[in-house]
Amino acid sequence: MSEAGSRTRGLFITLEGPEGSGKSLLGRALAARLEANGRRVLLTREPGGTPLGDVLRDVLLLRRELHFAPLAQALVLAASRTQLVQDVIRPALRSGTVVLCDRYVDSTYAYQGFGHGLALEDLRMVMRVATEGLLPDLTLLLDVTPEMGLARKQRQGATSPSEWNRFEAETLAFHNRVRDGYHALAAEHPERWVRLDATSHPEVVAAEAWHAVQQRLIEDPSPP
Ligand code: TYD
């Protein structure tokens, strides 16, 4: 399937991966390198990134006592994403800013699609409408097994499974489907995706990610 052209003046980079893959650490490292190279950078995350998105994030992740059908999850994620794209991402891209977004449409395809079994073509249609067709220029996949990622998350946050959010608390089989889903999505659009081994040292991961970003910056004609 071909992807709609999303090119605007800035550069739109998304970070994807299973739980505990180190996306937020990598986001901060990339933002620092971009800024050191004279680029304006916006680092944001999903679900969230706007006042409305932050409220929806809490409902979706933390209110585990609420039954939340996977399709309802996808539609709430779509609402949060619409607000983020309209209020934050598009204005930033128009002004030449590099946008780094921790999770975006591919998380919905991986989690609600591959993880929960919703039809990918339906999710793609919803997300095309929600984002008005805005796709990333580059997607970095931080690849790690669910066993390692969840153990890492537990160590870092010092949380017990009873405190995990709705998705962290899913079964290992679910998380394996999510990871396999990421591999399938990346294989479908190799021109947009770069896979990074998230088990490497964070500095190695950051250096490889920076290499991929630099290549896109060279192709990107927008001024710093
Ligand atoms: P978060 O605590 O930000 O986890 P992480 O550090 O792994 O990003 O929680 C976000 C959770 O929301 C994560 O478990 C994945 C899930 N999610 C979806 O299921 N679908 C989506 O479209 C998005 C954006 C997130």
Side-chain angles (χ1 to χ4, degrees), residues 19-20 23 46-47 57 61 77 81 102-104 107-108 111-112 153 165 167-168:
E19 311 295 322
K23 293 180 287 80
E46 282 211 18
R57 177 186 177 87
L61 298 188
L77 286 157
R81 190 161 295 147
D102 187 338
R103 300 195 179 281
Y104 189 62
S107 279
T108 310
Y111 281 76
Q112 281 67 43
K153 206 159 187 173
N165 76 34
F167 297 99
E168 288 158 356

Side-chain angles (χ1 to χ4, degrees), residues 3-213:
E3 296 196 302
S6 63
R7 222 36 204 247
T8 39
R9 273 191 66 211
L11 196 67
F12 183 23
I13 301 168
T14 56
L15 308 175
E16 294 285 355
E19 311 295 322
S21 54
K23 293 180 287 80
S24 38
L25 188 65
L26 177 63
R28 289 195 297 274
L30 280 180
R33 290 210 191 191
L34 283 159
E35 277 166 358
N37 277 265
R39 286 277 171 162
R40 265 199 312 275
V41 183
L42 178 99
L43 182 58
T44 188
R45 68 164 179 186
E46 282 211 18
T50 65
L52 174 68
D54 288 338
V55 172
L56 296 176
R57 177 186 177 87
D58 284 349
V59 173
L60 190 65
L61 298 188
L62 303 181
R63 298 286 305 275
R64 274 177 57 190
E65 79 282 8
L66 297 177
H67 174 62
F68 225 127
L71 181 56
Q73 294 173 13
L75 295 173
V76 166
L77 286 157
S80 171
R81 190 161 295 147
T82 296
Q83 207 67 38
L84 184 67
V85 167
Q86 287 191 10
D87 292 355
V88 178
I89 298 179
R90 279 201 193 269
L93 291 175
R94 272 197 297 271
S95 72
T97 299
V98 178
V99 175
L100 291 171
C101 192
D102 187 338
R103 300 195 179 281
Y104 189 62
V105 289
D106 297 298
S107 279
T108 310
Y109 305 150
Y111 281 76
Q112 281 67 43
F114 287 92
H116 278 306
L118 295 185
L120 273 191
E121 61 270 28
D122 291 348
L123 292 176
R124 284 188 164 130
M125 185 185 64
V126 169
M127 290 311 158
R128 204 157 37 238
V129 174
T131 63
E132 296 178 283
L134 180 70
L135 285 168
D137 301 298
L138 170 65
T139 297
L140 299 171
L141 171 60
L142 281 125
D143 199 21
V144 67
T145 63
E147 288 90 341
M148 273 193 72
L150 288 167
R152 195 191 266 177
K153 206 159 187 173
Q154 210 171 339
R155 269 198 314 276
Q156 285 167 353
T159 53
S160 68
S162 65
E163 295 167 293
W164 284 2
N165 76 34
R166 181 184 305 280
F167 297 99
E168 288 158 356
E170 285 286 350
T171 61
L172 202 55
F174 174 89
H175 288 290
N176 274 311
R177 289 196 298 277
V178 169
R179 183 181 187 220
D180 292 346
Y182 273 126
H183 290 166
L185 291 165
E188 211 181 326
H189 291 289
E191 72 291 351
R192 170 162 71 87
W193 289 77
V194 171
R195 180 193 167 276
L196 304 167
D197 181 355
T199 63
S200 303
H201 190 280
E203 280 176 20
V204 174
V205 178
E208 286 176 4
W210 177 237
H211 179 70
V213 170

